[in-house]
Amino acid sequence: MAAAAHDYEAAAELARFHGTRAGVRGLVESGVTAVPPLFSTPTTMTPAAPLAPPAAPVIPPPSAFTIPVIDLSLPRQDAVALVRAAARSHGFFHAANHCVPAGTITAALAAARSFHEQPLAARSAFYSLDPVGPVAYSTIPVTQQPPVRPWRDSLRVRFGPGQPELGDLPPSCRDALRAYQRALAGFGEEMAGLLSEALGVGAARLEEELRVRGWLMACHYYPPCPEPGRVVGSREHTDPGVFTVLAQDGVGGLQVRYDDHHDGDGGDDDGGVWVDVVPVAGALLVNIGDLLKVVSNDEYKSVEHRVVIKSKQDARVSIALFFNPAKRGDSDRFGPPPELVTAERPAEYGNFTFFEFMSSRRKFGHSRSSIQCLKVSSS
């Protein structure tokens, strides 16, 4: 009975929180001096403590795990070699000297911050927990176990498929976010070509197989927290799609799991350590998603990452643009291409539709275990 009463009260508290339509930013505006139980992690933590099993201490990045910075102005063959090495060893890399104007990135980050920091009456009009609509502002609930809700508000924008409904975008950030998404379309095309060529299947193969598009954008806002060690910015997870491009301010908080003994997807019993991803001014951060890991036949890594709250004074702002396959019909099946399957390196995964892939994600969670069911049986 006590457990049932606790569950009821927790559900009521969550409903009251969403009813305010104010997000976590609203808690900060109300002057909270302690983290509400709804957002508190199961155990008291420090910013450098592990967030959930397996225990993974945070240490300064080992020399073997300094996130690479790749200069895209290098000769093509040099850039391809560096992308190949980073995607195989780290799953993350900073892209410098890219085609996206610095002013476009700066304006987009400023617009995202402006939206989240505008008065409640302006931003609450967009509050929605519906993940399907063209625009939604909310504190996205986390369904993983144990239940931990992130100290983060998000503005999610869908730019496709089809013509985006730009009229639904908040006026305060409409032009800047649209300009950024358009600029990232060219960057995404270039990145898909580099990653494809780095696999040895030709620069056009990923586009032919997947038709990679950056339609989903998430503008994340991590408010300052009175007790940073008692909350999470985001739970540990891998990204599901082909790759993600992240623009971020200089506050920091993103961490990746580093393990020099495993390939990073051996399941939840892997150890490893969490290392900080130090922001690089002017660079865009690229990370490999689960789908590209599968299509690459495990040549590329999809690495677990998370966000911790670093500051009691400063809010962190980031913009993630998720590049996913536009081919999503029942006849569109994905898997390692024949060129990557040999007698010495047989196919690690079977063929599957995008619906089957995302169903496994919903069933098994947003972590490394979510693609294990797609593995070819070893029996």
Side-chain angles (χ1 to χ4, degrees):
M1 292 293 291
H6 178 271
D7 290 344
Y8 175 82
E9 179 54 35
E13 182 185 0
L14 180 60
R16 287 192 294 269
F17 169 77
H18 287 308
T20 67
R21 306 175 68 87
V24 181
R25 170 74 180 176
L27 297 176
V28 176
E29 290 172 328
S30 72
V32 294
T33 58
V35 173
L38 190 64
F39 292 88
S40 181
T41 53
T43 57
T44 300
M45 298 159 45
T46 64
L51 297 183
V58 176
I59 63 173
S63 59
F65 204 91
T66 300
I67 301 297
V69 179
I70 298 178
D71 184 349
L72 296 186
S73 68
L74 290 170
R76 177 78 177 192
Q77 62 180 12
D78 295 336
V80 167
L82 290 171
V83 166
R84 179 187 301 115
R88 286 177 170 178
S89 61
H90 293 73
F92 273 79
F93 54 89
H94 297 282
N97 293 322
H98 45 72
C99 60
V100 184
T104 301
I105 300 173
T106 301
L109 288 170
R113 180 181 294 275
S114 176
F115 169 82
H116 286 285
E117 294 182 351
Q118 66 185 327
L120 172 60
R123 68 180 193 271
S124 64
F126 298 93
Y127 201 88
S128 172
L129 297 178
D130 182 2
V132 179
V135 177
Y137 157 64
S138 68
T139 300
I140 301 174
V142 176
T143 57
Q144 292 170 268
Q145 295 296 326
V148 177
R149 291 171 183 85
W151 192 261
R152 179 190 72 190
D153 297 327
S154 299
L155 175 67
R156 291 162 292 168
V157 183
R158 294 185 183 276
F159 290 94
Q163 284 295 111
E165 299 179 48
L166 297 181
D168 293 322
L169 272 169
S172 62
C173 57
R174 179 183 300 148
D175 293 342
L177 294 185
R178 181 55 171 154
Y180 179 71
Q181 189 268 342
R182 283 174 169 165
L184 261 290
F187 177 86
E189 182 179 353
E190 179 184 14
M191 191 52 55
L194 288 168
L195 287 163
S196 184
E197 191 171 342
L199 279 174
V201 296
R205 189 57 185 274
L206 280 182
E207 176 62 17
E208 293 169 353
E209 292 291 318
L210 303 175
R211 205 160 78 242
V212 182
R213 297 293 183 270
W215 284 335
L216 177 60
M217 177 184 292
C219 302
H220 295 310
Y221 182 85
Y222 304 84
C225 181
E227 299 175 290
R230 299 191 62 231
V231 299
V232 297
S234 72
R235 290 289 302 272
E236 62 274 15
H237 66 284
T238 56
D239 289 352
V242 183
F243 57 87
T244 302
V245 180
L246 186 77
Q248 59 180 329
D249 63 17
V251 173
L254 178 64
Q255 297 178 335
V256 299
R257 188 193 293 273
Y258 167 76
D259 188 343
D260 59 356
H261 299 295
H262 303 277
D263 66 359
D265 31 82
D268 286 343
D269 57 347
D270 279 353
V273 294
W274 290 104
V275 297
D276 290 320
V277 179
V278 180
V280 174
L284 292 168
L285 185 66
V286 179
N287 69 278
I288 306 301
D290 286 344
L291 186 59
L292 184 52
K293 170 183 166 57
V294 169
V295 171
S296 75
N297 204 28
D298 279 351
E299 282 288 313
Y300 291 165
K301 286 188 176 182
S302 176
V303 180
E304 276 195 324
H305 49 285
R306 69 182 188 185
V307 174
V308 297
I309 304 302
K310 291 282 191 178
S311 177
K312 294 183 179 182
Q313 292 84 31
D314 299 319
R316 176 181 187 263
V317 175
S318 67
I319 302 176
L321 191 63
F322 301 96
F323 284 83
N324 294 309
K327 289 187 175 182
R328 301 187 180 187
D330 293 339
S331 62
D332 295 317
R333 305 191 68 83
F334 307 121
E339 300 96 314
L340 298 181
V341 178
T342 64
E344 295 75 22
R345 192 175 181 85
E348 295 286 340
Y349 303 90
N351 292 328
F352 50 87
T353 66
F354 188 74
F355 175 79
E356 291 168 338
F357 175 77
M358 293 307 296
S359 293
S360 74
R361 180 87 169 179
R362 287 187 290 270
K363 180 178 180 180
F364 294 101
H366 297 192
S367 65
R368 292 171 293 180
S369 61
S370 64
I371 60 174
Q372 296 308 303
C373 65
L374 303 174
K375 285 271 190 178
V376 175
S377 174
S378 58
S379 60

